[in-house]
Amino acid sequence: MCKNGDEIIPGVSSLQLACCRLRLDVDSLSVITAHSRDIEKVKNRLIMELRNGKNVFLLPDSSFGVHEIAQLLKSRSIFSKLSICERLAYPDERISTGTTEEPPAAESNLYCIVITNA
């Protein structure tokens, strides 16, 4: 119980659910958030992590979503698998997988992206 009487009920994170659904070891991932960040720094870190052999769990920004990521990776000759994990743990959960050449499309704004080395 919190001091104000509210009860905190811990839940499973989108990172944990994405790993479970995609059968990935969480240790194989680097976590990057693009929310309200310097997108150039996000891009540089994304490229660095993928070139170092890591998979990436990314929380996108409205200015840096799956299509922008696919374009960036193609421009750097990085060909990866892209999975959009939408509304995880909700009844209408959806996972769609594509590639940098044919990226999946998000159907909602509540999603994360998992980028795995092809």
Side-chain angles (χ1 to χ4, degrees):
M1 284 281 182
C2 295
K3 288 182 183 181
N4 66 2
D6 290 341
E7 182 180 3
I8 297 174
I9 301 172
V12 177
S13 71
S14 58
L15 171 65
Q16 292 167 312
L17 279 171
C19 285
C20 177
R21 303 289 194 258
L22 296 171
R23 301 185 188 279
L24 292 172
D25 186 342
V26 72
D27 290 337
S28 74
L29 292 174
S30 289
V31 178
I32 300 174
T33 181
H35 287 292
S36 302
R37 301 286 197 264
D38 178 338
I39 297 302
E40 288 307 311
K41 286 183 181 179
V42 170
K43 289 177 181 180
N44 291 334
R45 178 154 178 236
L46 174 60
I47 296 300
M48 179 190 70
E49 297 292 359
L50 291 171
R51 286 197 172 144
N52 285 334
K54 294 293 272 190
N55 296 316
V56 174
F57 174 89
L58 190 137
L59 296 173
D61 184 76
S62 59
S63 67
F64 192 62
V66 69
H67 293 289
E68 291 81 11
I69 290 167
Q71 287 300 111
L72 171 67
L73 298 181
K74 282 193 298 188
S75 75
R76 304 289 177 91
S77 298
I78 297 174
F79 301 98
S80 300
K81 185 164 66 170
L82 305 172
S83 296
I84 292 177
C85 302
E86 295 182 84
R87 302 187 52 76
L88 291 172
Y90 288 91
D92 58 343
E93 176 180 300
R94 178 178 171 273
I95 296 176
S96 179
T97 299
T99 63
T100 47
E101 295 86 8
E102 293 183 35
E107 293 180 359
S108 75
N109 61 356
L110 188 58
Y111 72 99
C112 59
I113 303 167
V114 179
I115 305 156
T116 53
N117 292 300

